[in-house]
């Protein structure tokens, strides 16, 4: 069966520090991968998605970047965190973007101080 | 593009009663719909999905109804239990468009003892 792992679960980082969140999927090949951010009381905001290794699409301009160095690995990064980067970050995977549900990881609570 | 919205941000029900959570979507071409459950501090969890060739689909204690005429989707939870307390999201695809799934903002289901 397929599983998705996301870490760390919580992270407190100072303003201006770098960020690296990692997500890996097991039990499937060539998944579509996604990074979402969820602010308190708000919906899911799609940040990045990837349909293959090295293929990254950005949905919103921001202080973040994403990379997919391996088929089942998706990394969310920042060189310098801002206070506004605080939030709940979710990684997800799917068979395709339109016809199947997305399976989410357990999330990372990022607090920038 | 697609927009997806839930009718109520909060729904309070008595334990043992049935719960109905509603959702509206805007794109008449959407043909795949999903309901997710998100408990506090966790990632969204797939509950049930439905495709546009169906009006109703049942799972364990849950039923999804789709009314394509008015672009409305509902999730019914039978005999609500304390463990059902969570935020519920609906999501819809764009029916062959370039966008992936669009998520609603969520309804917080509160179970009264």
């Amino acid at each position: 069966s397929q599983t998705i792992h996301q870490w760390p679960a919580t992270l407190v980082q100072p303003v201006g520090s770098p960020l690296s969140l990692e997500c890996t999927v097991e039990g499937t090949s060539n998944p579509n991968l996604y990074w979402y951010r969820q602010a308190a009381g708000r919906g899911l905001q799609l940040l990045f998605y990837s349909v293959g290794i090295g293929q990254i699409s950005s949905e919103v301009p921001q202080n973040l970047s994403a990379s997919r160095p391996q088929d089942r690995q998706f990394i969310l990064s920042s060189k310098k965190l801002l206070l506004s980067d605080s939030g709940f970050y979710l990684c997800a995977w799917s068979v395709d973007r339109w016809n199947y549900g997305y399976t989410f990881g357990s999330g990372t609570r990022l607090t920038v101080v | 593009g697609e927009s997806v919205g839930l009718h109520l941000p909060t729904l309070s029900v008595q334990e043992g009663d049935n719960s109905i959570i509603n959702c509206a979507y805007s794109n008449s071409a959407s043909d795949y719909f999903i309901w997710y459950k998100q408990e506090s501090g966790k990632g969204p969890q797939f509950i049930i999905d439905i495709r546009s060739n169906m009006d109703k689909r049942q799972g364990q204690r849950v039923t999804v109804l789709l009314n394509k005429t008015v672009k409305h989707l509902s999730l019914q939870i039978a005999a609500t239990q304390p463990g059902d307390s969570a935020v519920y999201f609906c999501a819809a695809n764009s029916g062959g468009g370039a966008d992936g799934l669009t998520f609603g903002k969520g309804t917080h289901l509160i179970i009264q003892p």
Side-chain angles (χ1 to χ4, degrees):
Chain A
S1 63
Q2 302 89 2
T3 56
I4 180 168
H5 303 280
Q6 185 180 345
W7 68 93
T10 59
L11 192 59
V12 180
Q13 292 285 96
V15 169
S17 65
L19 173 74
S20 181
L21 301 181
E22 190 164 342
C23 174
T24 59
V25 180
E26 296 178 355
T28 187
S29 58
N30 198 32
N32 284 251
L33 297 172
Y34 312 85
W35 278 111
Y36 282 88
R37 177 167 58 199
Q38 186 177 37
R42 303 177 85 174
L44 296 169
Q45 179 188 32
L46 179 63
L47 302 175
F48 302 95
Y49 70 90
S50 172
V51 299
I53 296 174
Q55 300 179 61
I56 309 295
S57 296
S58 175
E59 289 294 301
V60 293
Q62 60 216 325
N63 186 42
L64 303 168
S65 62
S67 61
R68 185 170 177 172
Q70 300 180 44
D71 181 43
R72 288 166 288 184
Q73 184 184 29
F74 206 22
I75 297 172
L76 183 69
S77 304
S78 174
K79 292 182 178 179
K80 289 185 177 182
L81 283 168
L82 306 172
L83 286 174
S84 58
D85 292 323
S86 293
F88 192 50
Y89 289 83
L90 290 157
C91 180
W93 79 272
S94 69
V95 173
D96 70 25
R97 292 190 65 212
W98 307 277
N99 298 308
Y100 295 89
Y102 298 176
T103 300
F104 288 86
S106 53
T108 295
R109 172 71 60 192
L110 172 66
T111 304
V112 182
V113 296
Chain B
E2 169 76 278
S3 69
V4 178
L6 280 87
H7 293 185
L8 289 174
T10 303
L11 177 65
S12 183
V13 299
Q14 291 291 125
E15 182 178 348
D17 288 352
N18 297 334
S19 302
I20 300 176
I21 302 171
N22 297 299
C23 184
Y25 61 97
S26 64
N27 189 343
S28 58
S30 294
D31 56 13
Y32 178 62
F33 308 86
I34 312 156
W35 281 99
Y36 286 91
K37 173 185 180 182
Q38 186 176 23
E39 296 176 273
S40 180
K42 298 183 179 180
Q45 180 182 14
F46 173 94
I47 300 174
I48 192 168
D49 59 0
I50 189 168
R51 300 193 185 274
S52 59
N53 60 348
M54 302 175 71
D55 296 324
K56 178 180 179 179
R57 191 165 185 227
Q58 289 182 294
Q60 186 177 12
R61 280 201 308 118
V62 295
T63 300
V64 56
L65 298 177
L66 176 62
N67 185 329
K68 295 179 286 293
T69 302
V70 296
K71 298 197 284 287
H72 183 270
L73 188 70
S74 69
L75 176 70
Q76 300 178 4
I77 305 173
T80 310
Q81 302 170 358
D84 295 328
S85 180
V87 176
Y88 291 82
F89 297 89
C90 62
N93 71 356
S94 55
D99 298 333
L101 297 182
T102 299
F103 292 83
K105 290 187 177 180
T107 290
H108 186 191
L109 180 63
I110 298 171
I111 313 303
Q112 302 286 356

